Amino acid sequence: MTPNKRPAWLIPAVAGVLILLPFAYSLGRFAWVRTFTAPKPFLEIASAPSQRCVRDPKWMRQNHKIFLNELRDKTVREGIRSNVTLNSCSQCHKDKTRFCDKCHQAANLHPDCFDCHSYSAAGSPAVLLRGGP
Amino acid sequence: MADEKKNVAVFLCRGCDIGASLDVEALEKVAAEERCVGLCRSHSFLCCDEGVAQIKEAVQSGVASLVIAGCSGRFHSQTFSFASCFVERVNLRELVVWSHEPHTEDTQMLAEDNLRMGIARALKAEIREPAKIAAQRTLLVVGGGPSGMAAAREASRAGYQVVLVEKQAELGGWLRSCKRQFPKNAPYRDLEAIDLESWILQLEGDPNIEIHRSAAIRSISGQPGQFEVELDVNDSTIRASVGAIVQATGWRPYDASRLGHLGYGRSPDVITNVEMESLVATGQIRCPSDGRPAKRIAFVQCAGSRDADHLPYCSAVCCRVSLKQALWARELDPEIEAYIFYKDIRTPAQYEDFYRRAQEDPGISLMKGDVISVTTAGGRGANAPQVNVENTPLGPSIQVEADLVVLATGMVPVAADGEAIRRVRDARAVIDRGQPGPQLDGARQLVTELGHHEGTDLLHLGYRQGPDLPVLPSGFPDSHFICFPYETRRTGIYAAGCMRAPNDIEGCISDAEGAVLKAIQCVELTSRGAALHPRWGDLSFLDFHMQRCTLCKRCTEECPFGSLDEDDKGTPLPNPGRCRRCGICLGACPERIISFGDYSIDVVSSMIKAVHIPDEFGEKPRLLILACENDALPALEAAGIARLRYSPFVRVIPVRCLGAVNVIWIADALACGFDGILLLGCKSGDDYQCHFIRGSELMGTRSENIRQKLVQLALEEQRVRIEQIALSEYHRLPALIDEFAAQIDDIGLNPFKG
Amino acid sequence: MPAPVLIKPDREFRNRLIASGGEDLKKCFQCATCSVVCEVSGASQPFPRKEMIWAQWGMKDRLLGDVDIWRCHQCNDCSQRCPRGARPGDVMAAIRREAILHYSAPRWLGNIVSQPRLLPLLLLVPCILLVLAAWARAPLETFLGGSYTPNRIIISYWSQLPQWLLIAFFAPFLSLVAVVMILGVMRFWRDLKARDREAGFIGQRRSLAASIRLAARSILLHEDFDRCTSEHSRMNSHRLVLFGFLGLIVVDLWVLTARFNPLLRGAFAYPFNFWSPWKILANLAGAAMLIGCTLMVRNLARAGRSGALFAGTWFDWMFLALALAAVLTGFACEILHYLRVDPFRYAAYIIHLATVFALLVLLPYSKFAHMIYRATAMVYAAHTGRQSQGGLRDSE
């Protein structure tokens, strides 16, 4: 063939790059989001809380879902009440928008807690009855 | 003998470089003064009208012999032929000015010697009345197969009478057992029917053709133009006089019982192609062993052909026949699978299309390979034969099972070995005489070896040399195979059809037509007293001085054409119609009693003696070249045409054949003072080129005589050399001649000089 | 002297070869011009001359287990130069078809699905089944106890045919195809080794890993296509189709495995955004495949008109037509989706799924199988040291 034929690996290389491009994009985006767009929840601690958090932030960050579910089960289903209640937590954790939602929205999560429980800026988390549980 | 002062005229041509290279006036002087010729003239272009007119004038004024010195006698032969005048052509062109340096003393001496030799011959040669023979315008056709029938038809068309002899009760030969033939017309794809009956009717209705069925030849005697034939037809004897004979005795299949390794005779399902022909003609192909329909047919090509242990030659048609039978079988039963194993497929010319047609058939599978055996495995149901093939595209050694195996065997000519029969007869005569001694033992040995030829005579020729045509080891009639395959070694008898060479029907028919034309040629020329092949039209004939014959029989034995019989006294009986004017008998005769008018012991001796031999102080050797007119002389002339140069010391005398060289000429030449003699002729041996079959071979045999002569004269053996040369090898000549000249130089000049 | 090998010609096999593209195979007279001209064939074990005589004599076993029929890339140099018009290229294609139908068992299934007149059925049946599935989605979900669509990851072109349903529909056929192909390849490999043993061929062995690398490289670079002189344009059309197909597969796999993909936590909705790189890749790949298939159609048609070169049998056309249909219906889905042409875009989707289904089911029994068998053969060829030496190129 003619001497200035383009090399045989050129087209497969181009194809390979095109095929891998979306992977690279997704991977890159994930890494970017992970690194640079970490959620920053804001917490304003009350001047004189009646009690402290039952666990440290790290533990809470990881296990708050189970903690809350177990709390619910104990409280509502088994009837064991303690001094750890939603109201007591909400003394500090009162602003859903600036605290809870930050992580939840970033991770595209929709915990169904908020289907019933709502936070008003004023006070205690009340059970909001919205057409039934 | 002719008068020395015979009326000879010499014409010298100065054209074609002759005038520019030689002193023509000196040549004229040679002619005029030394040999006393009546007239000597030169012309610048002798072959032009003016030159020829001058010659004609001389002829009209009563000149008996002409010497025309110029180009080779093979050029302008018509221009320079004059009725009633002997014409001697002296070669000054190819053999002199074109092959030697111009204007030198040696070239001039060469030219002068050539002229002297020519004049010597012109003085001695005689023109005699041609020996005409009253020839019969009837042909004998032996054999009523397709070849014989075609010959009879063609001869009748040409206006000749025909006597057609057939040994069977019906005409047609092998064509009777064929129902269909492979295609003879475009597009060469479909098998064709055979219409034998109308052909036979045509012949029967032809008034020129006399047909004898169930007939055998009892004897044929005489010579071309006057053959006397006796036939045995149904217990009566028929006599006929014919002018020439066409032998179309056909073929028989090779004996397949010798092909046991291919299964023939061991398994009933292995048959020959001839047997297959009858089998397909029945319309149903059944295995001979148990009658079941054969579904797989294997064809083994070249069965016992192209094989050193059987027939060494190819029989030409077997490939086409097998393809035909395969297609035919497939037509009868489309479930049949045909396997064809071949060394090569030979479908010549347009039959390539027939081969392609067979190939296209999905049921015909072809494969190249060597079939080494056909075996039958015992204990396996139907005992089907297996073909074992080697060197195939499917593997080095394979086996294919078939229901029926067809061996494509070859053709063996129906021809008798005339020479062998004759030798057996002679041996029997010796045995009958009963005289003890080595001759008797030899005779007994010969009968054991060749006895199987007894009783195989076909033509029953009354020739001393045998009752039939001489044949080659393959059994086919000996012809000059390389150049003249349509001639036989018996003048006036022509072989045609498969007896001459294996061929298909079309080939045999055209062969027969050609043979008839040659036979007619024979009758016509013989009636004029002229020779046939190869000295066409030669009107010279043999002259025997019988009084001095010593009955040595050398001429009778050595004639390649059986032209001489023996009379009751034992002297040779010449049959001029059979003679081809080769002169081999002339060369053989120790008493030198045989001669032609223009070629005799005296003529050539005179030519030798006419050469001026310089004495030993001249330091110019003289080398005599006796060159045969078939290949050697034309080769010398070709060397001249190519302007190749060689020693100017050679003197060339053309001879009819090296076999036509009498040893006395060697003695004469040496006695005259020639230093060396080169006998230049054609190749002998199996692929002989000699147009007279054996001449050059005989010269080889006679060389012993020559050697003895040399010893007698106390001369070196190397002075006489025999060389074989073909026309195409002319470029070898300068080296050959110069090497011979160098050798003679080494030995030294002939002590007999001066 | 080796013991003679018994030859048992298989008439039926030979007649099948003649009927499926090798009409002229009887014309071959073994002159070997084809083997000399073939760019892929090497000096030892040249082809396709031997395949022609084997075909003429119905040597079925030798042909089916012959690695060389797969090294052949149908470039048609041999058919072009054959002095007798025996078209060895066509014969090789016919043998490959027989090999595919032989190794992809069961043969009766292969015979059924690969008949061209059953193709409409092959498309109609999955259409009907998919419609039925769509209709049965809701009752099925109830029966199976709840929706399986996690609402974090929404993969639903059409909620009536959710992903789980499609996977449930296609999975059994996929597994069947996989089993058939694996069995086929195993038998094929075994026969390849058996033929080499029979023929006594011993080449220079490479490791399996190296052979796979070599074969993969050769396939991706289209080296054998590049060697062809008479129809070099096939290299481009095949490259387009191959890489287009690869691209589409990659996007499909991304979508299929989305729920297990850590990179997609909560951020994936299907169909893609038009400017998503995945969508761009899919469109480009689809376009490549479309162009490639069109080129192939054009080349085949042109070759058919000239009469000299491979015009394709129905075996080839069926595969090509289905592939083209799949690509065209895929683009139809996309266009109709953007145009929001409501009843038709779902119909297009169902038809598209049906063509994909037909292609899948036909994978082992159609020309599609060349993907697997040729790759296997190329690995085997590299493994046993078979070299390709240029045919015409070396002499020019």
Side-chain angles (χ1 to χ4, degrees):
Chain A
M1 291 301 251
T2 51
N4 53 352
K5 179 171 118 77
R6 52 167 190 273
W9 50 261
L10 186 66
I11 303 248
V14 167
V17 163
L18 280 173
I19 288 174
L20 291 176
L21 216 53
F23 270 119
Y25 167 77
S26 291
L27 201 62
R29 205 179 103 121
F30 177 75
W32 180 273
V33 164
R34 246 313 181 76
T35 319
F36 297 107
T37 61
K40 297 187 188 69
F42 175 74
L43 185 66
E44 195 187 324
I45 306 195
S47 39
S50 58
Q51 51 198 100
R52 296 190 57 77
C53 246
V54 289
R55 288 276 205 262
D56 60 279
K58 188 160 175 252
W59 190 95
M60 270 302 180
R61 211 174 284 134
Q62 218 160 329
N63 300 309
H64 66 281
K65 316 147 212 166
I66 302 171
F67 171 72
L68 285 170
N69 281 345
E70 283 180 358
L71 182 63
R72 175 198 67 204
D73 292 345
K74 263 174 62 177
T75 310
V76 178
R77 296 181 189 166
E78 294 171 42
I80 303 169
R81 295 184 185 261
S82 66
N83 57 338
V84 180
T85 66
L86 279 180
N87 283 334
S88 62
C89 299
S90 71
Q91 280 183 46
C92 299
H93 296 281
K94 56 169 93 126
D95 194 337
K96 169 175 176 281
T97 318
R98 288 201 292 173
F99 185 72
C100 313
D101 281 351
K102 278 278 192 256
C103 287
H104 291 153
Q105 278 179 0
N108 195 22
L109 293 166
H110 311 277
D112 38 17
C113 318
F114 303 107
D115 290 351
C116 299
H117 294 273
S118 79
Y119 280 79
S120 59
S124 56
V127 175
L128 197 69
L129 290 167
R130 268 193 306 213
Chain B
M1 281 295 154
D3 188 6
E4 274 270 346
K5 296 259 196 281
K6 199 163 140 192
N7 207 341
V8 175
V10 175
F11 286 87
L12 297 158
C13 181
R14 292 199 303 274
C16 296
D17 303 327
I18 295 173
S21 315
L22 295 172
D23 182 352
V24 176
E25 276 167 20
L27 284 175
E28 286 188 56
K29 262 179 49 185
V30 161
E33 292 169 5
E34 292 186 30
R35 301 298 298 184
C36 309
V37 300
L39 171 68
C40 179
R41 299 186 59 179
S42 74
H43 192 283
S44 45
F45 275 105
L46 204 52
C47 50
C48 74
D49 291 341
E50 193 191 68
V52 173
Q54 282 185 5
I55 303 176
K56 278 206 180 117
E57 245 184 77
V59 170
Q60 264 154 17
S61 68
V63 165
S65 291
L66 287 168
V67 175
I68 299 178
C71 52
S72 153
R74 290 157 70 234
F75 288 81
H76 292 302
S77 47
Q78 297 287 58
T79 319
F80 293 129
S81 71
F82 305 94
S84 80
C85 213
F86 179 77
V87 176
E88 170 66 6
R89 301 284 300 275
V90 172
N91 194 329
L92 294 182
R93 190 178 70 173
E94 286 89 340
L95 297 184
V96 181
V97 301
W98 278 357
S99 46
H100 300 95
E101 213 177 311
H103 287 302
T104 59
E105 190 190 24
D106 287 325
T107 309
Q108 184 69 24
M109 289 170 90
L110 171 58
E112 289 175 2
D113 278 333
N114 276 6
L115 190 57
R116 287 183 190 108
M117 289 198 287
I119 293 170
R121 181 155 184 244
L123 285 171
K124 293 280 176 161
E126 286 177 20
I127 295 215
R128 299 171 184 161
E129 273 299 308
K132 296 189 184 167
I133 298 175
Q136 295 290 333
R137 281 195 162 69
T138 308
L139 300 183
L140 174 69
V141 176
V142 183
S147 312
M149 288 165 63
R153 179 175 62 187
E154 191 69 12
S156 167
R157 267 200 220 147
Y160 266 60
Q161 303 293 312
V162 180
V163 175
L164 177 58
V165 178
E166 165 58 42
K167 71 171 184 242
Q168 309 264 18
E170 297 293 333
L171 290 180
W174 282 101
L175 220 48
R176 293 214 86 82
S177 46
C178 292
K179 291 283 180 301
R180 295 168 92 188
Q181 53 184 348
F182 45 80
K184 302 294 191 278
N185 301 292
Y188 297 99
R189 291 177 65 84
D190 301 314
L191 305 188
E192 293 176 1
I194 293 176
D195 182 13
L196 186 56
E197 296 312 318
S198 58
W199 195 3
I200 295 178
L201 279 174
Q202 192 191 30
L203 290 178
E204 284 174 349
D206 191 328
N208 286 339
I209 303 177
E210 191 186 304
I211 304 177
H212 297 287
R213 296 180 176 80
S214 305
I217 298 176
R218 189 190 295 171
S219 76
I220 299 180
S221 57
Q223 59 179 339
Q226 297 170 338
F227 284 114
E228 297 300 325
V229 180
E230 271 189 18
L231 302 171
D232 284 330
V233 184
N234 291 332
D235 303 329
S236 55
T237 308
I238 308 246
R239 287 193 178 76
S241 295
V242 302
I245 302 171
V246 172
Q247 183 177 359
T249 42
W251 60 281
R252 60 172 171 272
Y254 181 68
D255 181 11
S257 66
R258 305 183 57 184
L259 299 174
H261 65 288
L262 292 178
Y264 194 82
R266 302 223 185 121
S267 164
D269 291 331
V270 178
I271 61 177
T272 65
N273 46 3
V274 176
E275 291 163 353
M276 179 64 173
E277 195 70 26
S278 346
L279 190 54
V280 261
T282 62
Q284 286 198 320
I285 304 184
R286 294 188 176 278
C287 295
S289 59
D290 56 4
R292 75 179 190 283
K295 294 290 179 189
R296 298 165 299 175
I297 309 177
F299 290 85
V300 177
Q301 299 306 112
C302 294
S305 294
R306 299 175 68 196
D307 188 337
D309 296 330
H310 301 277
L311 298 178
Y313 53 87
C314 162
S315 288
V317 296
C318 339
C319 282
R320 285 174 276 177
V321 168
S322 289
L323 290 174
K324 167 185 99 173
Q325 289 172 349
L327 282 166
W328 194 349
R330 293 262 313 147
E331 257 180 52
L332 293 175
D333 181 358
E335 281 185 30
I336 286 181
E337 294 272 304
Y339 310 126
I340 304 185
F341 301 100
Y342 59 87
K343 288 183 192 170
D344 298 287
I345 288 284
R346 291 185 168 175
T347 47
Q350 58 272 40
Y351 289 104
E352 178 71 8
D353 288 341
F354 184 55
Y355 165 55
R356 287 194 219 212
R357 162 74 185 92
Q359 249 198 324
E360 282 166 18
D361 189 327
I364 299 181
S365 303
L366 297 121
M367 170 139 69
K368 184 175 171 105
D370 302 319
V371 176
I372 51 166
S373 65
V374 174
T375 47
T376 47
R380 225 205 289 179
N383 227 357
Q386 291 141 332
V387 184
N388 300 303
V389 198
E390 280 179 11
N391 298 322
T392 74
L394 292 188
S397 175
I398 65 164
Q399 199 180 58
V400 177
E401 213 176 66
D403 299 316
L404 186 65
V405 176
V406 179
L407 302 178
T409 49
M411 296 180 173
V412 171
V414 174
D417 187 345
E419 290 182 317
I421 299 175
R422 179 262 175 119
R423 289 173 69 194
V424 171
R425 277 191 199 156
D426 287 352
R428 287 254 182 249
V430 168
I431 293 171
D432 285 344
R433 278 203 296 273
Q435 276 176 346
Q439 229 188 8
L440 186 63
D441 295 332
R444 287 218 176 93
Q445 168 86 1
L446 198 116
V447 168
T448 325
E449 227 178 86
L450 299 176
H452 60 275
H453 287 286
E454 277 186 299
T456 59
D457 319 33
L458 287 170
L459 294 181
H460 298 268
L461 297 168
Y463 282 29
R464 176 70 189 90
Q465 278 194 15
D468 273 287
L469 299 176
V471 296
L472 295 165
S474 55
F476 292 96
D478 187 5
S479 60
H480 186 299
F481 182 72
I482 293 202
C483 302
F484 307 103
Y486 296 101
E487 301 287 344
T488 66
R489 273 176 54 186
R490 294 291 177 259
T491 311
I493 306 179
Y494 300 96
C498 293
M499 173 252 172
R500 187 190 70 75
N503 216 330
D504 68 335
I505 297 170
E506 294 297 301
C508 286
I509 290 174
S510 71
D511 214 25
E513 290 169 355
V516 161
L517 291 177
K518 290 194 90 59
I520 290 173
Q521 218 174 24
C522 167
V523 171
E524 296 294 331
L525 282 170
T526 309
S527 69
R528 295 176 213 166
L532 294 159
H533 161 84
R535 301 199 101 239
W536 293 100
D538 185 7
L539 295 171
S540 69
F541 53 87
L542 282 172
D543 192 29
F544 282 78
H545 195 53
M546 282 306 176
Q547 293 91 321
R548 298 213 354 244
C549 175
T550 58
L551 284 74
C552 76
K553 314 264 204 298
R554 250 189 247 176
C555 56
T556 318
E557 292 303 317
E558 289 188 358
C559 174
F561 314 109
S563 155
L564 299 165
D565 292 336
E566 278 176 20
D567 65 12
D568 29 359
K569 290 196 293 271
T571 45
L573 185 65
N575 295 278
R578 300 185 203 168
C579 177
R580 296 195 190 178
R581 285 52 161 189
C582 61
I584 284 176
C585 47
L586 185 158
C589 182
E591 295 302 312
R592 304 179 289 280
I593 66 171
I594 308 179
S595 64
F596 294 92
D598 59 352
Y599 183 81
S600 63
I601 306 287
D602 193 21
V603 164
V604 176
S605 289
S606 307
M607 289 167 84
I608 293 171
K609 288 171 189 151
V611 172
H612 272 202
I613 312 278
D615 59 26
E616 61 268 34
F617 306 111
E619 289 190 30
K620 288 186 194 291
R622 284 291 178 259
L623 308 170
L624 177 66
I625 297 185
L626 295 173
C628 90
E629 65 188 8
N630 176 25
D631 265 2
L633 185 65
L636 281 164
E637 292 181 355
I641 293 171
R643 307 297 194 275
L644 301 176
R645 296 226 173 128
Y646 47 88
S647 165
F649 302 139
V650 303
R651 301 291 180 262
V652 178
I653 295 182
V655 292
R656 290 189 179 191
C657 180
L658 272 199
V661 170
N662 197 298
V663 171
I664 195 69
W665 295 334
I666 314 260
D668 282 349
L670 290 167
C672 280
F674 275 95
D675 304 286
I677 299 157
L678 183 59
L679 297 156
L680 215 49
C682 311
K683 265 206 323 183
S684 57
D686 279 340
D687 289 335
Y688 61 85
Q689 295 270 19
C690 178
H691 280 25
F692 298 111
I693 318 291
R694 300 169 48 194
S696 135
E697 179 196 315
L698 284 168
M699 173 46 76
T701 324
R702 292 173 201 162
S703 62
E704 181 54 29
N705 299 3
I706 298 171
R707 205 188 60 79
Q708 283 179 6
K709 205 74 166 190
L710 286 166
V711 166
Q712 220 177 45
L713 294 169
L715 287 171
E716 300 83 339
E717 283 175 35
Q718 298 96 313
R719 289 202 187 271
V720 178
R721 193 198 281 195
I722 303 172
E723 285 283 352
Q724 296 186 343
I725 191 130
L727 174 55
S728 53
E729 295 173 328
Y730 68 87
H731 50 273
R732 276 180 52 211
L733 277 171
L736 200 150
I737 293 172
D738 289 343
E739 194 259 315
F740 183 58
Q743 194 180 47
I744 299 295
D745 252 354
D746 281 341
I747 305 174
L749 298 178
N750 185 344
F752 288 114
K753 260 198 218 295
Chain C
M1 197 78 257
V5 173
L6 185 63
I7 300 286
K8 287 180 141 30
D10 186 332
R11 296 175 45 191
E12 298 305 325
F13 183 73
R14 178 197 56 220
N15 291 342
R16 277 207 304 276
L17 285 179
I18 291 177
S20 65
E23 300 94 45
D24 297 316
L25 72 84
K26 287 303 303 314
K27 292 185 180 171
C28 167
F29 66 161
Q30 295 286 289
C31 71
T33 300
C34 52
S35 293
V36 168
V37 153
C38 175
E39 299 278 350
V40 185
S41 156
S44 71
Q45 308 264 308
F47 61 90
R49 174 197 183 184
K50 60 187 192 300
E51 283 77 11
M52 290 300 276
I53 188 82
W54 291 348
Q56 287 188 350
W57 279 73
M59 312 262 50
K60 177 171 151 191
D61 290 333
R62 285 198 212 188
L63 282 169
L64 295 178
D66 182 29
V67 71
D68 291 325
I69 58 169
W70 292 105
R71 289 173 70 204
C72 165
H73 276 64
Q74 191 72 60
C75 77
N76 292 314
D77 279 355
C78 54
S79 286
Q80 197 167 45
R81 298 283 182 132
C82 173
R84 297 287 254 195
R87 304 171 72 109
D90 292 16
V91 177
M92 294 293 263
I95 300 168
R96 281 193 292 270
R97 174 181 167 275
E98 284 295 316
I100 287 174
L101 290 172
H102 174 81
Y103 285 112
S104 297
R107 203 195 166 101
W108 55 265
L109 186 57
N111 281 337
I112 291 174
V113 299
S114 53
Q115 283 182 47
R117 59 200 167 137
L118 289 184
L119 191 57
L121 212 64
L122 207 53
L123 287 170
L124 202 61
V125 165
C127 277
I128 294 172
L129 287 177
L130 284 164
V131 168
L132 281 175
W135 176 79
R137 180 198 62 91
L140 263 176
E141 272 183 350
T142 322
F143 178 71
L144 293 166
S147 164
Y148 284 82
T149 307
N151 50 8
R152 292 160 215 81
I153 296 179
I154 301 172
I155 302 174
S156 171
Y157 180 73
W158 179 30
S159 57
Q160 290 300 94
L161 271 180
Q163 193 193 33
W164 64 265
L165 192 55
L166 286 177
I167 291 179
F169 185 78
F170 275 93
F173 298 103
L174 258 171
S175 336
L176 189 67
V177 163
V179 165
V180 169
M181 285 315 302
I182 290 171
L183 284 177
V185 166
M186 279 170 56
R187 281 173 62 207
F188 182 44
W189 191 269
R190 187 198 63 201
D191 281 350
L192 285 170
K193 291 214 294 222
R195 291 291 87 72
D196 270 358
R197 245 199 326 272
E198 232 172 59
F201 175 75
I202 302 171
Q204 211 165 15
R205 300 200 97 80
R206 283 191 189 87
S207 73
L208 213 52
S211 309
I212 293 174
R213 271 203 308 277
L214 206 68
R217 182 172 176 274
S218 177
I219 291 171
L220 287 173
L221 295 185
H222 282 66
E223 280 173 351
D224 287 323
F225 281 94
D226 203 12
R227 288 199 179 95
C228 173
T229 51
S230 54
E231 279 201 283
H232 196 256
S233 58
R234 293 174 70 242
M235 181 181 178
N236 281 336
S237 55
H238 191 267
R239 268 202 294 211
L240 284 167
V241 172
L242 179 63
F243 291 126
F245 184 63
L246 268 178
L248 288 171
I249 295 273
V250 159
V251 175
D252 266 344
L253 284 176
W254 184 257
V255 172
L256 274 171
T257 59
R259 64 170 64 234
F260 307 112
N261 194 338
L263 301 179
L264 288 175
R265 282 178 32 186
F268 188 63
Y270 183 84
F272 290 108
N273 178 358
F274 187 77
W275 297 109
S276 153
W278 291 99
K279 191 69 173 180
I280 294 173
L281 172 63
N283 277 329
L284 279 176
M289 215 172 134
L290 183 61
I291 296 171
C293 287
T294 311
L295 281 175
M296 283 183 178
V297 168
R298 195 193 66 167
N299 284 342
L300 271 180
R302 192 174 48 187
R305 270 200 303 279
S306 81
L309 295 176
F310 184 64
T313 58
W314 57 263
F315 193 66
D316 309 281
W317 282 103
M318 198 151 102
F319 174 43
L320 186 54
L322 267 178
L324 202 52
V327 171
L328 284 171
T329 49
F331 274 118
C333 287
E334 182 181 356
I335 293 169
L336 289 173
H337 172 70
Y338 285 124
L339 294 177
R340 291 283 189 271
V341 184
D342 256 348
F344 294 114
R345 62 173 165 152
Y346 300 122
Y349 185 46
I350 291 203
I351 296 172
H352 178 65
L353 286 174
T355 57
V356 170
F357 174 83
L359 268 176
L360 249 183
V361 166
L362 283 185
L363 172 66
Y365 308 107
S366 72
K367 194 153 177 212
F368 203 171
H370 81 281
M371 196 171 65
I372 310 291
Y373 289 118
R374 181 167 274 125
T376 310
M378 287 171 81
V379 169
Y380 184 79
H383 181 53
T384 52
R386 282 163 158 89
Q387 301 290 349
S388 289
Q389 287 172 18
L392 290 170
R393 299 289 176 81
D394 275 0
S395 60
E396 276 167 9

